[in-house]
């Protein structure tokens, strides 16, 4: 099918389920999907194939949780995210991917460590409502999303610090990544050439499986507590950071 071997088709199906599960359930769980698509299609092309899949997952999450999202936070971050996307598009082909991922992994681990320490100190983790901080988070998120599909951990640390309910966290995250992923599409089409009419067939094939993954994620969210949900996000963020370092 599609010129892929059976094992590759199965990996594509599993990647689609993981995307849906991550978008509507456990945020930050997409790293295995990124790795599987990279094995099938190669790093750069897989980014273009995965982007429409992510947008479909974002739409499902918005349909379910969008009304509970904190749009104010999204609006604050979008201008700087656009700057990050543009920078990522311009220099993405010239930088050493492994060096970038290593540095990003260190940043994520430091942020996560601070978050965990404050959590166990029973303090509410509140980031200052500082314009420079919003710009830093937005630029890093946009840049890392464009270059390495690695913006999830950065935004997870940011959104956990807002002390929102889990449904509001999912809704806010869904709106942010939906808008950011839409902005990335022209760069993948016209600059990198990684989204084409030919590889869109993989997205169409993946849609039902993204839906299945989303249903699994929604079921899990209904059956876990706020504290458990935040612990899971911390663990997924730590796994992602380690994955970036390797």
């Amino acid at each position: 099918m599609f010129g892929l071997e059976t094992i590759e088709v199965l990996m594509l199906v599993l990647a689609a389920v993981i995307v849906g599960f991550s978008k509507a359930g456990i945020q930050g769980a997409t790293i295995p999907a990124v790795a599987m698509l990279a094995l099938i299609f190669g790093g750069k092309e897989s980014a273009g194939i995965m982007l429409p899949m992510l947008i479909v997952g974002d739409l499902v999450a918005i349909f379910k949780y969008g009304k509970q999202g904190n749009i104010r936070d999204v609006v604050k971050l979008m201008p700087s995210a656009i700057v990050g996307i543009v920078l990522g598009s311009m220099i993405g082909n010239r930088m050493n991917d492994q060096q970038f991922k290593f540095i990003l992994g260190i940043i994520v681990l430091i942020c996560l460590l601070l978050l965990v320490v404050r959590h166990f100190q029973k303090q509410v983790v509140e980031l200052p409502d500082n314009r420079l901080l919003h710009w830093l988070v937005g630029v890093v998120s946009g840049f890392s999303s464009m270059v390495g599909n690695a913006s999830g951990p950065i935004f997870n640390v940011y959104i956990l610090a807002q002390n929102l309910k889990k449904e509001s966290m999912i809704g806010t995250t869904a709106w942010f990544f939906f808008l950011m992923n839409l902005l990335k599409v022209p760069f993948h089409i016209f600059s990198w050439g990684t989204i084409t009419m030919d590889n869109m067939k993989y997205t169409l094939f993946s849609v039902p499986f993204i839906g299945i993954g989303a249903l699994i994620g929604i079921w899990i969210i209904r059956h876990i507590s706020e504290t458990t949900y935040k612990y899971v996000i911390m663990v997924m963020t730590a796994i992602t950071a380690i994955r970036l370092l390797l």
Side-chain angles (χ1 to χ4, degrees), residues 30-201:
T30 55
I31 287 298
V34 172
M36 282 186 281
L37 291 186
L39 287 174
I40 300 171
F41 303 106
K44 189 174 181 181
E45 185 177 356
S46 68
I49 292 172
M50 190 168 188
L51 181 57
M53 295 170 61
L54 294 173
I55 291 173
V56 172
D58 290 329
L59 287 171
V60 174
I62 287 172
F63 178 77
K64 179 64 179 176
Y65 301 107
K67 291 182 180 179
Q68 296 163 285
N70 190 338
I71 304 300
R72 189 172 70 92
D73 274 345
V74 173
V75 171
K76 285 181 181 179
L77 295 176
M78 286 315 300
S80 53
I82 293 172
V83 173
I85 290 170
V86 173
L87 290 174
S89 176
M90 290 173 59
I91 67 176
N93 287 332
R94 304 175 185 176
M95 67 183 303
N96 184 314
D97 188 56
Q98 285 303 116
Q99 290 178 349
F100 168 74
K101 287 183 178 180
F102 182 82
I103 293 172
L104 184 61
I106 292 294
I107 294 171
V108 172
L109 283 176
I110 291 172
C111 293
L112 182 63
L113 178 62
L114 293 173
L115 190 65
V116 170
V117 169
R118 292 189 181 185
H119 176 77
F120 284 104
Q121 287 178 340
K122 306 300 182 183
Q123 296 177 5
V124 177
V125 181
E126 293 185 356
L127 294 178
D129 190 12
N130 185 287
R131 187 171 183 177
L132 179 60
L133 175 65
H134 295 306
W135 268 86
L136 179 62
V137 172
V139 170
V140 173
S141 294
F143 182 79
S144 56
S145 180
M146 188 70 206
V147 174
N149 287 313
S151 59
I154 297 294
F155 194 75
N156 279 347
V157 172
Y158 175 81
I159 201 68
L160 279 172
Q162 305 307 306
N163 203 34
L164 303 173
K165 297 293 185 181
K166 59 187 176 184
E167 291 84 0
S168 183
M169 288 171 59
I170 297 171
T172 303
T173 301
W175 276 114
F176 177 71
F177 282 104
F178 173 66
L179 294 174
M180 189 166 67
N181 285 333
L182 280 183
L183 290 167
K184 287 159 54 180
V185 170
F187 296 97
H188 277 276
I189 294 175
F190 301 111
S191 179
W192 288 8
T194 49
I195 294 181
T196 65
M197 291 300 295
D198 182 59
N199 63 27
M200 281 297 294
K201 62 179 178 283

Side-chain angles (χ1 to χ4, degrees), residues 27-28 31 105 108-109 112-113 116 153 156-157 160 231-246:
Q27 319 281 270
I31 287 298
V108 172
L109 283 176
L112 182 63
L113 178 62
V116 170
N156 279 347
V157 172
L160 279 172
Y231 280 143
V232 172
I233 295 297
M234 289 180 189
V235 171
M236 291 305 305
T237 302
I239 292 172
T240 301
I242 293 170
R243 173 67 179 82
L244 290 170
L245 292 171
L246 297 178

